[in-house]
Structures are given as C-alpha cells and as structure tokens.
Amino acid sequence: MLRRYQDLSDLYNLNMDNSSNHIYPVIWHKQKDCVLLIDQTRLPKEYSVVEIDRYEDMAQAIKTMIVRGAPAIGVAAAYGMYLGAREITTSDRQEFLQELDTIAEVLRQTRPTAVNLFWAVSRMLRTAYEFVGSVAELKDILLTTAQTIQQEDLQTCQAIGDHGLFVLPKTPAKVNILTHCNTGSLATAGYGTALGVIRSAWRENRLQRVYADETRPRLQGAKLTVWECIQEGIPVTLITDSMAAHCMQQNMIDLVIVGADRIAANGDTANKIGTYSLAIVAQAHNVPFYVAAPFSTIDFKLVDGKQIPIEERHPSEIYQIGNTEICAKGTEFYNPAFDVTPARLITGIITEKGVIAPQDLINHKS
Ligand code: MRU
C-alpha cells in the first residue's frame, strides 16, 4: 500500500538528522516497519513522502521516478528485496530462495541503465544464498543488509566529496562549477556524488557558484538540484542545457562535474541525456570534465560503453510541458533517457577510492 504524507512531523521522530541540509530520499521507518520515500516527482512544489510496505510498490516507485538517481535506486531496490522477502510465507529455504529470485527479477525490470540497481539486488541475493540459518533469521539479515548498503553509500558519497576537492584548480580561489541532472542527496543515500563534491567545495570555501543545467526533458536540474542548493544556501544559477557552450565561451565555468549511471571498464560513462554533448563542449573550451561516482556504478563486466543498455522513456516527457501538449498531432518522438560519454572526453573519475583516470579504472578492479 502506498500512502502519502504531507505532515512530515513523523520524520523528525526518526533516528536521523533531518536538519535542512540533511536530505534522505529513502528512510527505513523502524516504528512503522516500512520505507519512506521523498516523492521526487512533486518537488520543488511539494515536499511529501510516500510510505511503502510492499515490494511491488517499491518497483512502481522506481519505475515512476518517485525515487531516482543511480545510488538511491540501488538503496530503494535493496529495501524492496527485504519487503518482498518478508511477504514470503514458506519456511523452506529452497522455496524461499526461489520466490526471492522472482522478486529480484521484478525489481530488476524497473529501470535498465543504472547499474547500482542490479548491484544492490545481487548483493541482497548473495547474502540470502550464502546465509546459513533459518528463513526467519534470514529475513532479519536482509533488512540489516539493506541498511548497510544505505549507510555505506552515505559514507561513500562523503569520501567522493572529499576526494573531489583535489580536482578543483588552485586558481581562482573560488571556482564556478557546471553540473547536469541531479546528483545530490536526493539521488543517493544522502550527500550526493557530483553535488557531493560541490557541497564539499562550498564547505571549504572553494565554491563561487554552481551552474545547473535544467536537464531536459524531466528537468531534474531545474527541479531538484536547484532546490537542494537553495536548502543549503549554495549559490546556484539555473541555465537551459543549450546555454552551457555559451557560458564556457564567456569563461564563466572552471570545471564540469557530473554523475554517472553506469561506467564501463574502459571508462565510457552513461549518464543523463545531454551529458555527452556537455563533455564535447567542455573539451572544445578546454574546461576539465569530471565524473563523480561510487564503485558500485562501475560495471567491470562491460568492456565499453556500447554495451550499456539505454533506457527509453515515454514520449509524453517531450511532447508535454506540465499537462500542456506542445507538439502538432502526428509528431514522432525519440526519448532516450541516457547517453554515453566516451572515456577520452573525461578528465578523471572521482570515486570513494580517489580520483582515477578513465583508462586506469581497470587496474582498480578488485
Ligand atoms: O533518470 P534519473 O534521474 O534517475 O538519472 C539520474 C542521473 O542520471 C544522475 O544525473 C546521475 O548522474 C546519477 S545519480 C548520482
């Protein structure tokens, strides 16, 4: 059952710091025994939370982008696995694992590009398969594993933020950073990847201003990144995606930092549609172009970016602005949600283990 809350007083009873600069898109609510998700489809107009206690609802929330952003989807899917596990009634281990496999498949079918989803589901399955003990105990272990994945992602993002400070040029003293889509607290367990680096730069007094691409067609930059920056008083200017080249030509941008949804072993990076053109524009203007992402976003099984599955979404994301249709009847559409930036356009990948040249990534495969 998916319930919506607009009175968020409940959130403040949780064991999490919900002061304005701590935004957690996914919260395990111990007392209610369910997951709370900030509904990202309603921000910035409305800050509401939905309550999720069934895995099918979690799958639907991921599909409809109530929760979105590669690492946040991973965390949500991990909790989805637990919610599904606790619905299984058998105490027979083999039957339980079979049913858990089916739940995993439903969650895997939600969004194809962000590898963190598949990574988190596999980790939950591996935990289940390796656990020795009763089914009842295993269910508890799965909840603990989902919480661990969430906690680890938070720490990972903070480490990415710290490592990211090393890529900031020495001059000017305060830099202008251009970013794309939303890679902040909302897109992760908290803190963010590219926006995490921006947060760290702001904290260290190294940030002049963030330029946020609006990120057509779903406008995660305009709706989410700007909202997050405003929550923390980070100076932010919204531009349309097509203004990035002009801003670079005007020397307004010192570096670009974006997130990633899947990185192949050779460093080719899938990220929100528009990232590739941004990388080309950055190279044309000699502006360093960095990707910030956790290791859980790297898919070492893929040799290069050609193998990354690209999600196509409903054309209404293009032909409608709000509820208004803007195109002539009979218009045909193509709506890929991601593109692949070749490794040669990427200056470095900022990870929790440090900043890595894309061609060096393979040497960090553990
Ligand atoms: O379609 P979304 O909003 O889930 O896509 C998310 C992104 O592409 C983000 O920009 C990001 O780089 C990955 S999440 C840190």
Side-chain angles (χ1 to χ4, degrees):
M1 146 100 97
L2 194 146
R3 263 181 236 112
R4 179 172 302 283
Y5 287 87
Q6 268 142 337
D7 171 9
L8 302 183
S9 46
D10 246 0
L11 283 182
Y12 295 89
N13 296 329
L14 299 176
N15 262 350
M16 298 186 100
D17 176 359
N18 275 286
S19 58
S20 64
N21 57 355
H22 286 85
I23 299 156
Y24 302 105
V26 183
I27 294 173
W28 172 252
H29 196 308
K30 199 165 168 232
Q31 294 81 9
K32 284 181 182 284
D33 215 22
C34 70
V35 180
L36 301 179
L37 299 176
I38 295 177
D39 186 345
Q40 301 193 35
T41 64
R42 298 200 175 202
L43 283 170
K45 275 201 166 160
E46 181 187 310
Y47 184 20
S48 70
V49 160
V50 293
E51 186 181 297
I52 302 231
D53 54 15
R54 294 179 60 240
Y55 83 93
E56 289 99 331
D57 290 334
M58 185 60 91
Q60 191 60 14
I62 296 172
K63 234 185 234 168
T64 56
M65 295 174 71
I66 284 177
V67 60
R68 49 142 299 281
I73 294 172
V75 172
Y79 279 115
M81 286 289 286
Y82 166 67
L83 295 178
R86 75 178 185 183
E87 284 174 38
I88 301 173
T89 49
T90 182
S91 53
D92 177 86
R93 183 184 153 78
Q94 269 326 101
E95 283 174 15
F96 176 86
L97 290 175
Q98 255 175 21
E99 289 192 43
L100 196 63
D101 277 332
T102 310
I103 290 162
E105 200 38 38
V106 170
L107 289 161
R108 284 195 202 101
Q109 290 300 322
T110 52
R111 295 196 69 191
T113 304
V115 75
N116 311 59
L117 169 77
F118 303 89
W119 172 87
V121 167
S122 299
R123 180 158 163 191
M124 294 292 284
L125 273 182
R126 204 171 52 244
T127 303
Y129 273 85
E130 286 172 2
F131 180 73
V132 186
S134 72
V135 165
E137 286 164 337
L138 174 50
K139 288 179 185 175
D140 291 342
I141 295 290
L142 287 174
L143 175 58
T144 312
T145 308
Q147 290 170 318
T148 306
I149 288 174
Q150 181 173 30
Q151 203 52 43
E152 284 174 2
D153 186 64
L154 194 57
Q155 285 159 0
T156 294
C157 285
Q158 280 155 353
I160 289 172
D162 290 344
H163 289 300
L165 292 174
F166 293 100
V167 310
L168 305 180
K170 295 266 177 305
T171 54
K174 291 186 179 194
V175 294
N176 290 296
I177 303 177
L178 175 60
T179 192
H180 191 66
C181 196
N182 172 265
T183 60
S185 295
L186 289 167
T188 60
Y191 204 73
T193 55
L195 204 56
V197 176
I198 289 167
R199 276 203 166 86
S200 297
W202 175 244
R203 186 194 65 215
E204 298 301 314
N205 209 18
R206 291 291 330 270
L207 182 75
Q208 182 69 34
R209 176 162 296 276
V210 186
Y211 287 87
D213 272 357
E214 65 171 353
T215 318
R216 276 281 287 160
R218 286 195 62 109
L219 306 176
Q220 291 94 326
K223 292 182 175 175
L224 306 178
T225 298
V226 170
W227 179 77
E228 279 199 41
C229 288
I230 287 173
Q231 300 306 301
E232 291 180 43
I234 296 176
V236 59
T237 297
L238 178 65
I239 58 171
T240 67
D241 303 354
S242 52
M243 293 171 189
H246 170 78
C247 292
M248 290 188 206
Q249 196 179 47
Q250 299 298 310
N251 292 321
M252 291 163 64
I253 309 296
D254 297 301
L255 71 162
V256 177
I257 313 179
V258 298
D261 287 83
R262 195 185 296 222
I263 303 175
N266 73 338
D268 290 352
T269 295
N271 192 47
K272 183 51 57 189
I273 192 77
T275 304
Y276 176 32
S277 43
L278 193 56
I280 292 171
V281 166
Q283 190 186 50
H285 293 89
N286 259 329
V287 172
F289 183 93
Y290 288 94
V291 169
F295 260 70
S296 55
T297 302
I298 305 169
D299 188 347
F300 284 108
K301 290 195 295 302
L302 304 188
V303 178
D304 60 38
K306 286 198 276 300
Q307 297 167 295
I308 300 177
I310 300 293
E311 177 181 14
E312 272 188 51
R313 295 191 62 90
H314 196 273
S316 59
E317 292 181 353
I318 307 183
Y319 69 64
Q320 254 171 242
I321 292 188
N323 291 327
T324 310
E325 292 191 11
I326 55 166
C327 304
K329 289 264 174 290
T331 308
E332 291 178 23
F333 301 94
Y334 175 47
N335 186 19
F338 300 93
D339 57 27
V340 176
T341 300
R344 68 185 150 76
L345 297 175
I346 298 169
T347 314
I349 301 177
I350 308 164
T351 73
E352 67 272 32
K353 299 185 186 174
V355 183
I356 302 171
Q359 60 276 11
D360 253 16
L361 215 48
I362 196 71
N363 301 323
H364 291 78
K365 183 179 173 187
S366 53

